[in-house]
Amino acid sequence: MTSTAQELHPAPTLEPGRTILELKGLEKRYPGTHALKPVNLAFKASEIHAIVGENGAGKSTLIKLLTGVMPRTSGDVIWEGKPAALATPHEAMALGINAVHQEVVLCRHLTVAANMFLGEEDSRFGILQQRAMVREAQKIIDDLGFDLPAHVVLGDLTIGQQQLIAAARATVRGTKFLIFDEPTAYLTRKEADQLFTLIRRLKGEGVTIIYISHRMEEVFELADRVSVLRDGTLVGTRNIAETNDAELVKMMINRSIEQVYHKEHFTPGATLLEARNLSGKGFENVSMTVRAGEIVGLYGLIGAGRSEFVTTLYGRRRKSAGQILWEGKAVQVNSEHEAIRLGMALAPESRRDQGLCLNLPVGLNLNLPIYKRISSNLLISSAQEKTEADRQIANLRIKTPTRNALASSLSGGNQQKIVIGKWLAHGAKLFIFDEPTVGVDVGTKAEIYRLFSALLSNGAGIILISSYLPEVYELADTLHVFRRGKLVATHGFRTADHEEILTQALAEKQEKPGGQI
Amino acid sequence: MSTEAIPAERPKRNYNALFGLTLLALLVLLWVILSVATPSFASANNISNLLRQGSMIAILAVGQTFVIITGGIDLSVGAVVGFATVIVAMLINAGVPIFLAILITLLVGVAIGMFHGFGIVRMGLPPFIITLATLTSLRGIGLLMTNGNSISINNDAFQMFSRSSFLGVPNLFWMVILVGIPAYIFLHHSRWGRYLFSVGSNAEASRLSGVNVQRTIYMAYTLSGLCAAFVGVLLASRIGIGNPTQAEGWELQAIASSVIGGTSLFGAVGSVHGPLLGAFILATINNGANLLNVNAFWQRIITGVLIIVIVYFDGLRRRGK
């Protein structure tokens, strides 16, 4: 354990360009599905190999097979020329195969240092050498260029910082083959940059990186090669220099990129909601209006106060100053219940923590807001309960065996459809979507955007929060930029370019005064 | 599209029903074995006795299950039972009409449950803590009220109730049905039942979906307190005294019955028929062990082992192995 600092620089056992791991006809069948059809693919030493595909295309299955979490059905994995069984996670780790997951799987109540050495603690005569471990961990973190303290409790860090620690942890274990599963989903741009620096550095040290992401620009920024999976089949592998966005999207979904951002313009109707100088925890002095038939986009970094603003509109948090007007009348929204009664609906940011009852059936999740309506006096009408749930499942094409399947058994995109679908039967006038497409594949994204249009054409208004600029840029009729709790700029549909908006969100020195309001 | 989705758990309701059936099969199996092994088990007298023994824990377990489904726990129910015997005994001895005495006792149970809700919702105390505090204080209050003595109830009609039968079935067992049917309708066919599950699964998601989470929590603990007070009335009728130290450890039996009946201590999983069956399985084991002359100390060990075995197999099934 004392040699941790050295292990940070694993000696490349193969010269770059040689095959380190090869899949030969690797296949996985679950009862009822063919999750991964025989895949042949060779990963080279010290390459960054991106894998893209829709949700359920087989990416997660591939990771699970490579990290020994699940046994394969057939095929071979050749590791450094020798067949590897990969029967247990332990075996995979012993070979040098590690993974960093999208959701941080570490102990939030332990310190950063304790997490970094979890399972390989330094102890003398059974006593933990805590100070030595903190020192050691700090050295590693500093060495990686992360500005983070090693002695604090992990839970005190932001999700993004925790993600960096998870990545740092994976690097200290003699890793030769490191899988990143959508690591940037919850990172700020700065944190993402730090992570990219780490990834490039690992590559320089001879580590093979598998990088899984829904974000095309990251793939082009980082990867040497990219493989596309669709429906459990490897559609193809390209050198990054020889391909482009459009080709990859087409390979992923069999459909062109223009069809993804579905945008229809409607004539805005009456004002639904107005916020006047609204302040609360995490944001201050925000004013805006939302009219029927328009999408109001809120763009900014994570932590810029957008979620806090909308949850205050929704009555989840208390406002400290300002006014909320609903259809022209001043209202007090003291509870979510009140907001829902007025006609608001919120699809929150985190499916897992705020959106779904994961260990309950899909049908119950879909009907949760409308149980009052489908009960007569005391009893729920089970016929209505069934038809309402089945209607949403059919309309939104939610892929689930039945409405009684647990929400946790569905893929991310389908879970997101439940989060949105539960409000469709309820019939709101203002829909607030907070990061509706995080971790959602391109095909489902397109379906969600079409749904937006359908809502608008029915006279609803939409607030769309996204940290993904192309999304708000292509969809919002009015685009507000948030930075550190303040609304710093407002644009019409496509009236500013990406760079200007990004600059306003980041508050770089070259801020253009023209964009200010 | 969703390849990971398909090895999904079987539809939940079917699964619950299936588990209910296996529990019922286990109960029937126990009865068959005991009928063969001992001549006295299958006698009408013993069966009545068994039904009486199981009934009170069964009712407690139903209330407890509501609480556990929300992800909480109610450790106070045994103490509430003891306290309720004191209240009802004092009221009857003071000449209050039986009907009114029972009603007031039930309201005391409701008030205790509301207090638990208040502690959890308003004071932010963990359910374990607030109900643990009530457990010990209620016994103390009861002892203060009685000076540590038992109160004999001077009313034969009140005591006759628990000894009588209707259509050959002990009245106490009829009370299980009286509680069980509305509880079943409430949990599985009313929207408040759905809210209990949704709050236990994800309180924040429920709240954002417009569910009144606080009211749901109040409701769960109030129902548990009500069930416990009702059991207190039944117990007072059965033993003919009011004594605050009665029903020691019944909260653990209620929790055990609930868990044997398939309730998950993590919340959001549970039913009404499960805990009822669980309570009668426990009662059968105790009854059978008595008839077989098994040492009372061993009975406790057997009960413990059985809880581990049943819940372990339940966990295996849940993981779909």
Side-chain angles (χ1 to χ4, degrees):
Chain A
M1 198 59 261
T2 42
S3 61
T4 316
Q6 283 78 47
E7 283 172 19
L8 183 57
H9 311 285
T13 46
L14 297 165
E15 72 244 35
R18 290 250 323 257
T19 297
I20 181 166
L21 183 134
E22 193 177 357
L23 314 178
K24 285 191 171 165
L26 188 67
E27 185 181 10
K28 178 70 187 176
R29 284 170 190 276
Y30 294 112
T33 359
H34 205 170
L36 201 62
K37 290 158 195 164
V39 166
N40 294 302
L41 184 58
F43 297 105
K44 296 175 189 166
S46 95
E47 74 165 334
I48 300 179
H49 195 121
I51 295 181
V52 295
E54 296 191 87
N55 284 341
K59 296 171 309 206
S60 310
T61 306
L62 183 60
I63 301 174
K64 283 177 187 158
L65 297 185
L66 289 179
T67 50
V69 175
M70 283 221 225
R72 56 181 172 257
T73 309
S74 68
D76 288 305
V77 175
I78 313 293
W79 173 259
E80 296 184 339
K82 288 189 247 9
L86 294 178
T88 63
H90 195 83
E91 191 194 334
M93 272 182 234
L95 291 175
I97 300 176
N98 257 308
V100 176
H101 297 281
Q102 178 184 347
E103 312 272 348
V104 180
V105 271
L106 291 176
C107 307
R108 290 170 42 82
H109 296 92
L110 300 183
T111 63
V112 169
N115 270 295
M116 293 210 27
F117 295 128
L118 197 64
E120 335 187 319
E121 285 83 359
D122 183 10
S123 63
R124 221 154 280 160
F125 311 115
I127 308 291
L128 283 180
Q129 301 298 303
Q130 306 213 33
R131 257 174 306 169
M133 283 197 290
V134 169
R135 264 201 311 276
E136 198 69 39
Q138 192 67 60
K139 209 155 63 183
I140 296 163
I141 293 169
D142 292 346
D143 199 31
L144 293 173
F146 299 164
D147 181 20
L148 295 170
H151 63 273
V152 301
V153 173
L154 188 75
D156 290 347
L157 303 181
T158 66
I159 300 287
Q161 290 168 333
Q162 293 181 25
Q163 192 81 57
L164 293 179
I165 297 299
R169 185 182 130 91
T171 64
V172 302
R173 316 212 149 194
T175 298
K176 294 181 198 159
F177 191 92
L178 187 53
I179 302 165
F180 285 93
D181 186 6
E182 286 201 55
T184 56
Y186 299 109
L187 296 198
T188 65
R189 182 65 220 185
K190 184 169 164 242
E191 288 163 346
D193 282 338
Q194 289 185 331
L195 184 72
F196 293 168
T197 311
L198 169 65
I199 289 174
R200 291 203 186 89
R201 175 174 167 159
L202 289 170
K203 168 190 158 76
E205 287 161 3
V207 179
T208 305
I209 310 281
I210 304 299
Y211 191 85
I212 292 170
S213 180
H214 283 302
R215 299 187 181 172
M216 282 300 162
E217 70 278 11
E218 289 178 359
V219 170
F220 283 96
E221 190 176 337
L222 269 182
D224 301 311
R225 291 198 299 161
V226 53
S227 292
V228 181
L229 286 173
R230 186 175 72 223
D231 292 335
T233 310
L234 180 68
V235 183
T237 300
R238 298 278 185 276
N239 285 322
I240 209 76
E242 294 159 13
T243 186
N244 56 45
D245 252 30
E247 187 193 17
L248 290 184
V249 170
K250 190 137 195 245
M251 286 166 84
M252 278 160 70
I253 62 171
N254 244 345
R255 174 166 5 136
S256 75
I257 195 165
E258 289 75 34
Q259 288 168 287
V260 174
Y261 291 110
H262 175 86
K263 174 73 186 165
E264 292 173 49
H265 291 274
F266 299 92
T267 320
T271 300
L272 289 171
L273 177 109
E274 185 179 352
R276 278 191 196 154
N277 308 101
L278 201 65
S279 298
K281 200 173 176 225
F283 67 95
E284 57 181 314
N285 204 13
V286 174
S287 302
M288 67 174 68
T289 59
V290 185
R291 290 169 296 178
E294 73 170 344
I295 296 181
V296 174
L298 308 186
Y299 175 73
L301 302 179
I302 287 170
R306 297 163 302 161
S307 298
E308 289 80 357
F309 171 68
V310 295
T311 45
T312 305
L313 290 180
Y314 194 67
R316 179 67 185 86
R317 294 157 179 263
R318 285 297 168 93
K319 65 176 199 264
S320 58
Q323 233 186 348
I324 299 171
L325 285 85
W326 180 259
E327 294 180 333
K329 285 194 267 311
V331 286
Q332 293 295 330
V333 189
N334 292 324
S335 69
E336 307 80 12
H337 196 75
E338 182 64 25
I340 293 166
R341 202 188 55 77
L342 287 172
M344 295 188 219
L346 171 72
E349 187 178 6
S350 165
R351 285 193 288 273
R352 202 155 74 159
D353 298 332
Q354 305 168 298
L356 290 173
C357 297
L358 280 173
N359 59 351
L360 291 176
V362 172
L364 197 157
N365 274 288
L366 282 169
N367 285 327
L368 198 52
I370 58 163
Y371 269 119
K372 199 163 190 175
R373 197 199 315 152
I374 60 176
S375 325
S376 52
N377 300 324
L378 193 73
L379 298 185
I380 295 168
S381 151
S382 56
Q384 263 185 297
E385 191 180 22
K386 282 180 194 131
T387 44
E388 287 291 348
D390 286 342
R391 194 158 58 94
Q392 295 307 336
I393 290 170
N395 285 352
L396 293 171
R397 289 189 279 145
I398 298 172
K399 288 222 171 148
T400 173
T402 75
R403 65 178 175 279
N404 292 326
L406 302 188
S408 57
S409 66
L410 270 58
S411 70
N414 284 300
Q415 289 182 353
Q416 187 64 39
K417 287 181 183 177
I418 303 177
V419 174
I420 296 172
K422 69 169 149 186
W423 292 113
L424 299 184
H426 188 266
K429 288 181 191 160
L430 173 66
F431 289 85
I432 304 168
F433 295 102
D434 194 350
E435 305 281 5
T437 59
V438 166
V440 168
D441 60 74
V442 183
T444 308
K445 269 187 190 174
E447 288 179 44
I448 291 174
Y449 300 149
R450 278 173 195 284
L451 186 70
F452 288 177
S453 284
L455 293 173
L456 294 177
S457 72
N458 287 336
I462 290 176
I463 296 178
L464 171 66
I465 294 184
S466 181
S467 302
Y468 187 58
L469 186 52
E471 181 171 270
V472 262
Y473 189 80
E474 299 294 334
L475 292 172
D477 299 293
T478 309
L479 176 58
H480 299 293
V481 183
F482 275 62
R483 184 178 71 230
R484 286 202 217 109
K486 293 199 173 104
L487 201 167
V488 292
T490 300
H491 306 282
F493 179 68
R494 283 191 181 167
T495 52
D497 57 18
H498 279 218
E499 208 167 319
E500 184 185 348
I501 297 169
L502 201 58
T503 309
Q504 287 163 343
L506 290 169
E508 304 285 309
K509 283 169 214 116
Q510 63 272 31
E511 191 167 281
K512 289 172 198 161
Q516 298 284 3
I517 48 166
Chain B
M1 190 165 88
S2 62
T3 41
E4 287 91 340
I6 308 300
E9 286 95 314
R10 256 172 294 163
K12 189 163 163 285
R13 196 175 300 169
N14 299 349
Y15 158 80
N16 263 347
L18 194 71
F19 186 66
L21 278 183
T22 23
L23 275 184
L24 189 62
L26 179 65
L27 187 60
V28 170
L29 183 73
L30 282 173
W31 284 1
V32 169
I33 291 173
L34 285 170
S35 306
V36 174
T38 73
S40 45
F41 180 82
S43 68
N45 210 4
N46 186 57
I47 294 293
S48 295
N49 200 20
L50 172 67
L51 292 180
R52 283 199 192 92
Q53 285 169 347
S55 295
M56 290 193 265
I57 297 293
I59 295 170
L60 280 187
V62 169
Q64 184 73 253
T65 301
F66 291 154
V67 167
I68 297 179
I69 286 174
T70 66
I73 195 111
D74 189 348
L75 295 177
S76 74
V77 293
V80 175
V81 172
F83 188 69
T85 63
V86 173
I87 300 286
V88 77
M90 284 183 143
L91 288 170
I92 289 174
N93 285 356
V96 177
I98 291 182
F99 170 74
L100 196 59
I102 292 174
L103 188 69
I104 292 170
T105 310
L106 295 183
L107 287 178
V108 168
V110 167
I112 294 167
M114 299 276 278
F115 175 69
H116 291 149
F118 177 83
I120 293 161
V121 168
R122 296 274 158 210
M123 300 169 72
L125 295 173
F128 188 98
I129 300 300
I130 181 84
T131 58
L132 181 68
T134 319
L135 182 160
T136 161
S137 347
L138 273 184
R139 299 258 188 227
I141 296 171
L143 287 166
L144 278 177
M145 287 167 67
T146 60
N147 282 324
N149 301 319
S150 292
I151 304 170
S152 292
I153 299 171
N154 311 315
N155 188 316
D156 290 338
F158 181 66
Q159 294 181 45
M160 270 314 288
F161 175 79
S162 62
R163 294 177 194 156
S164 312
S165 297
F166 176 66
L167 299 177
V169 176
N171 280 349
L172 284 181
F173 188 77
W174 283 113
M175 293 302 108
V176 176
I177 294 168
L178 184 78
V179 171
I181 288 174
Y184 178 83
I185 292 170
F186 172 80
L187 187 63
H188 296 293
H189 292 284
S190 85
R191 67 172 196 273
W192 298 292
R194 294 285 194 281
Y195 295 164
L196 288 177
F197 284 103
S198 79
V199 168
S201 175
N202 189 337
E204 182 65 20
S206 306
R207 189 176 173 163
L208 292 177
S209 302
V211 174
N212 191 329
V213 173
Q214 304 193 338
R215 193 193 296 162
T216 308
I217 287 173
Y218 268 108
M219 192 172 61
Y221 287 86
T222 305
L223 288 172
S224 179
L226 178 65
C227 285
F230 184 56
V231 171
V233 171
L234 298 180
L235 181 65
S237 162
R238 185 151 195 237
I239 59 180
I241 55 168
N243 184 327
T245 60
Q246 282 295 324
E248 190 101 54
W250 283 21
E251 60 279 348
L252 298 182
Q253 291 194 45
I255 294 167
S257 302
S258 188
V259 169
I260 288 174
T263 313
S264 161
L265 287 174
F266 296 109
V269 178
S271 64
V272 168
H273 49 275
L276 293 182
L277 288 169
F280 284 103
I281 286 173
L282 283 183
T284 302
I285 290 164
N286 286 336
N287 178 285
N290 276 334
L291 294 179
L292 293 169
N293 279 326
V294 177
N295 182 327
F297 302 153
W298 273 104
Q299 287 183 29
R300 292 178 174 229
I301 298 172
I302 292 168
T303 308
V305 170
L306 198 88
I307 290 172
I308 295 173
V309 169
I310 292 177
V311 177
Y312 173 73
F313 279 108
D314 181 30
L316 282 190
R317 304 160 65 86
R318 231 169 262 274
R319 286 194 291 270
K321 285 181 184 170

